[in-house]
Amino acid sequence: MNGLLAHRRAALVLPPLLAGVAALAIWQAVVVLGRIATFVLPSPTAIATAFGTVAPDVVTAATATGTTALVGLVAGSLAGVAAAVLAARLRVFDEVLSPLSAAANAMPIIALAPVFNAMFGSTSPVPRRLVVAVAVFFPLFVNTARGLRQVSPVHTELMRSLDATGWAFTRHVRLPGAVPHLFTGLRLASSLSVIAAVVAEYFGGRQDGLGSRITSAASNSAYPRAWSYVLGAVALGLVFYLVALLLERLLSPHTRRSL
């Protein structure tokens, strides 16, 4: 049994690991043999060397960006779930919130960041966190609302026979059934929150995050160093995604049964 479990885990881990190593090898060969200028595309070895030099600074910048992303993710997720509950419970909220959420999703992040900086001050962390909250609101709202609407007719008839109130029906039937959809939205929003935080840092404010460090390094033609901060952003996004996946496995009834 343990051997079978180890084999399954190896089958899940080895293919993406081998693909990543192959991609890095091809990248290195293309840069070295193709004589590509380092300012166009640094080699993986050059990036690794630069990363070893600035690793402590990458961790510090990733902590600042991660804090922004986490606060915005929590705020946007709570707002998205609350809006989905209202939209599923009351039709008037559905008619108002659905087009508004679609409009917020269509609005580019680069347009929001300068506006929020002007409203709240570029030195405040509020603008960046608001950008993240707006970015993650839509996937949480859409996926949670979809789950809340997919109710079994048997459950509906049962709750009606018990003369349950609308809010009791939402609490005991709609919300538990929407948990898998909610976590689908959370997985999408987890990586998106890091992207939004990094992009928001391009537009002024305190120069303590990954986005500002990437801009600074690139403007000084330190491209391997800039790619080191990009690597930090990738790692941060993966951490957020894996945490969301872990929460889904721990809290979702469907995944608990499959473990």
Side-chain angles (χ1 to χ4, degrees):
M1 183 67 180
N2 291 334
L4 180 60
L5 183 60
H7 179 72
R8 289 180 177 178
R9 289 178 177 175
L12 290 174
V13 173
L14 283 178
L17 182 62
L18 294 176
V21 172
L24 289 175
I26 294 172
W27 182 354
Q28 180 74 22
V30 167
V31 173
V32 174
L33 301 178
R35 306 297 182 184
I36 298 177
T38 56
F39 66 85
V40 175
L41 183 65
S43 66
T45 53
I47 296 172
T49 301
F51 184 85
T53 303
V54 299
D57 194 41
V58 172
V59 173
T60 301
T63 302
T65 300
T67 301
T68 298
L70 180 61
V71 174
L73 176 62
V74 172
S77 299
L78 292 176
V81 172
V85 171
L86 289 175
R89 178 72 182 88
L90 303 171
R91 184 172 181 178
V92 62
F93 279 99
D94 187 24
E95 294 175 350
V96 172
L97 291 173
S98 293
L100 286 179
S101 65
N105 183 60
M107 188 178 300
I109 298 174
I110 57 175
L112 290 176
V115 173
F116 288 154
N117 281 336
M119 292 173 60
F120 299 98
S122 60
T123 59
S124 171
V126 173
R128 299 176 182 181
R129 294 171 181 179
L130 280 176
V131 168
V132 176
V134 172
V136 305
F137 174 85
F138 184 76
L140 264 300
F141 173 77
V142 171
N143 283 279
T144 304
R146 182 181 301 169
L148 290 170
R149 294 188 182 100
Q150 293 182 359
V151 179
S152 170
V154 174
H155 292 159
T156 302
E157 291 300 324
L158 176 62
M159 296 304 287
R160 285 178 179 173
S161 66
L162 296 174
D163 197 24
T165 63
W167 289 111
F169 181 54
T170 299
R171 177 183 176 184
H172 295 288
V173 177
R174 290 186 185 273
L175 282 175
V179 168
H181 295 80
L182 186 154
F183 278 109
T184 298
L186 184 61
R187 280 189 278 112
L188 293 172
S190 59
S191 299
L192 182 60
S193 65
V194 176
I195 296 173
V198 171
V199 171
E201 290 170 349
Y202 279 93
F203 297 91
R206 291 185 293 181
Q207 304 296 300
D208 59 350
L210 291 169
S212 58
R213 301 298 173 85
I214 294 170
T215 304
S216 176
S219 62
N220 291 316
S221 300
Y223 297 107
R225 180 154 51 92
W227 276 92
S228 299
Y229 291 114
V230 172
L231 183 62
V234 172
L236 184 63
L238 287 175
V239 168
F240 270 59
Y241 179 82
L242 291 175
V243 170
L245 191 61
L246 178 62
L247 288 175
E248 180 180 13
R249 288 184 175 273
L250 292 176
L251 300 179
S252 175
H254 173 73
T255 56
R256 283 206 306 268
R257 286 195 299 268
S258 63
L259 292 177

